[in-house]
Amino acid sequence: MHSRPSHNRLSGSAFHSRISALLLAMVSTMAAIYVAGRLWQDAADRVYLIQELDKRNGQGQSAIAVDDTLKIIECREQQKQLSALEMQLAGARQEGFVPKSLSKNEGAHSKKKLLAVIGIITTFGRKKNREAIRKAWMPTGEALKRLGDEKGIIVRFVIGRSPNRGDSLDKEIDKENDQTNDFIILDDQVEASEERPKKTKSFYIHAVENWDAEFYVKVNDDVYVNLDVLGATLTTYIDKPRVYIGCMKSGEVFSEPTHKWYEPDWWKFGDAKSYFRHASGELYAISRALAQFISINRSILRAYAHDDVSAGSWFIGLDVKHIDERKFCCSSWMPGAICTAV
């Protein structure tokens, strides 16, 4: 008889709990709907305000343009920093200051460093000169490969492409190279006498990007070279990080347009009209750091009328050791000379 009131109290308590849970769920749902609505409204208001501001100020596109401009500026700054770091790294390598981790990584992907890469600057219609060089001092076939493998010296003829790309001149060079496999053909370089300074620069860029050598040597195709003496001479300068080796000279700057050696930029060389000291163009060598400098700064290096003057101008403001090596004087033969001009 006393159990019924207790049962009624339990039933009432459960009923009230269910009502409380239902009310809490309703309140939570309404709160969620309210917050979501406010967020949506705020977002819509912000979009509307931005659109109106753009319309009134006429800046709907300027924000994108400014952003793009900033990205371009940032990219250029990064390129400058990269160039500076590459130059520092090149100097560090030459002086022996290379991080161990970098040396290990490079060692896994590169072959033994060469002593020298020699580029013989030639042109169309000079096949007889090239044949004479092959017979006199430049090995051919397997002997050319052994020269690189055993003595660390790479020798190649260097030539550009005809102004009339793909004509008979280009085809003759391609045919000759198929037979001898001893050319560097600069596909992006026009073969012309007035392009010779740029061609020399292109050779150094190609050589340093394709071969890791201590020195890069430029020689004309009317010069005979003693490779043994050249190799021995270059070896004596390996410990010097930035060297420019050649038969150093100066000379008169000619301002008359009709003169054979006319220099269009004659006025830049002062009232005395005399070139700064530079290596004779018949034969000279530069160390790896200088070749890398040319490669990195290719787009801003000035080319003058003559290739030897141009090369000298690239190093005039750098911390470079100019070495007046008389063995490189090809025009005046002497005992133990490296070269002789013909």
Side-chain angles (χ1 to χ4, degrees):
M1 295 296 293
H2 297 285
S3 64
R4 185 177 299 275
S6 176
H7 176 72
N8 289 339
R9 284 196 298 271
L10 290 172
S11 299
S13 177
F15 176 76
H16 288 298
S17 297
R18 286 196 296 271
I19 291 177
S20 298
L22 180 60
L23 289 173
L24 181 60
M26 292 176 62
V27 171
S28 299
T29 301
M30 293 177 65
I33 293 173
Y34 175 79
V35 171
R38 289 295 301 171
L39 290 174
W40 179 87
Q41 184 62 45
D42 289 345
D45 289 343
R46 284 195 294 271
V47 172
Y48 173 78
L49 289 173
I50 291 171
Q51 290 176 342
E52 287 299 311
L53 184 62
D54 287 344
K55 288 179 182 179
R56 294 179 185 183
N57 294 336
Q59 295 179 346
Q61 299 296 326
S62 64
I64 298 175
V66 170
D67 185 61
D68 288 344
T69 301
L70 291 174
K71 288 180 179 178
I72 292 171
I73 293 174
E74 182 181 3
C75 182
R76 287 176 178 171
E77 289 299 320
Q78 290 177 348
Q79 287 177 332
K80 291 179 182 178
Q81 293 175 8
L82 179 60
S83 295
L85 289 172
E86 287 176 336
M87 280 301 301
Q88 292 174 11
L89 180 59
R93 282 179 178 142
Q94 288 291 323
E95 296 177 2
F97 299 105
V98 183
K100 292 182 179 179
S101 59
L102 184 58
S103 297
K104 291 178 181 178
N105 290 337
E106 284 193 343
H109 297 90
S110 61
K111 297 181 179 179
K112 179 182 177 181
K113 180 176 284 189
L114 300 166
L115 175 62
V117 176
I118 302 173
I120 307 170
I121 306 300
T122 189
T123 189
F124 302 124
R126 304 277 287 184
K127 187 174 181 179
K128 289 184 178 180
N129 289 58
R130 294 191 291 272
E131 289 294 345
I133 287 175
R134 291 185 182 108
K135 292 177 181 178
W137 64 269
M138 178 183 177
T140 58
E142 285 299 315
L144 183 63
K145 185 177 183 300
R146 285 198 302 273
L147 181 66
D149 294 340
E150 298 174 4
K151 295 188 176 182
I153 297 177
I154 301 295
V155 186
R156 296 289 187 273
F157 290 106
V158 182
I159 196 167
R161 286 297 189 183
S162 170
N164 301 313
R165 188 65 179 265
D167 63 6
S168 59
L169 296 175
D170 279 347
K171 291 177 180 178
E172 287 176 5
I173 293 298
D174 288 336
K175 181 180 179 180
E176 184 178 347
N177 190 39
D178 288 340
Q179 297 170 349
T180 61
N181 194 29
D182 57 5
F183 277 86
I184 293 174
I185 299 177
L186 304 170
D187 287 325
D188 296 328
Q189 176 63 52
V190 175
E191 186 62 41
S193 58
E194 64 272 16
E195 291 286 318
R196 193 177 176 96
K198 294 180 181 178
K199 176 181 172 182
T200 300
K201 179 169 66 173
S202 296
F203 157 64
Y204 284 124
I205 293 169
H206 178 92
V208 79
E209 290 181 350
N210 286 275
W211 289 286
D212 183 16
E214 297 286 355
F215 298 97
Y216 298 86
V217 182
K218 178 260 180 182
V219 59
N220 289 343
D221 69 354
D222 56 357
V223 172
Y224 285 23
V225 177
N226 186 324
L227 289 176
D228 291 332
V229 178
L230 174 62
T233 303
L234 292 177
T235 300
T236 63
Y237 298 111
I238 284 182
D239 61 333
K240 294 178 172 57
R242 294 173 298 279
V243 291
Y244 173 36
I245 311 168
C247 182
M248 296 295 167
K249 65 174 187 176
S250 185
E252 182 180 355
V253 179
F254 295 98
S255 58
E256 299 79 17
T258 56
H259 198 280
K260 179 182 179 181
W261 305 114
Y262 170 61
E263 174 58 71
D265 288 320
W266 59 268
W267 60 274
K268 292 183 179 179
F269 296 92
D271 295 335
K273 291 185 180 180
S274 179
Y275 285 119
F276 41 75
R277 300 293 279 181
H278 60 277
S280 171
E282 292 173 319
L283 171 70
Y284 62 88
I286 62 175
S287 57
R288 186 172 188 268
L290 298 186
Q292 286 185 320
F293 172 81
I294 294 172
S295 177
I296 293 168
N297 297 281
R298 68 188 72 181
S299 62
I300 59 173
L301 291 178
R302 180 75 169 83
Y304 291 96
H306 314 298
D307 62 290
D308 53 355
V309 173
S310 298
S313 73
W314 301 334
F315 313 135
I316 199 71
L318 304 181
D319 183 14
V320 173
K321 179 70 174 176
H322 287 58
I323 298 175
D324 185 15
E325 177 57 75
R326 306 317 291 175
K327 293 179 182 179
F328 279 66
C329 297
C330 306
S331 298
S332 54
W333 188 88
M334 57 179 290
I338 291 173
C339 59
T340 180
V342 296

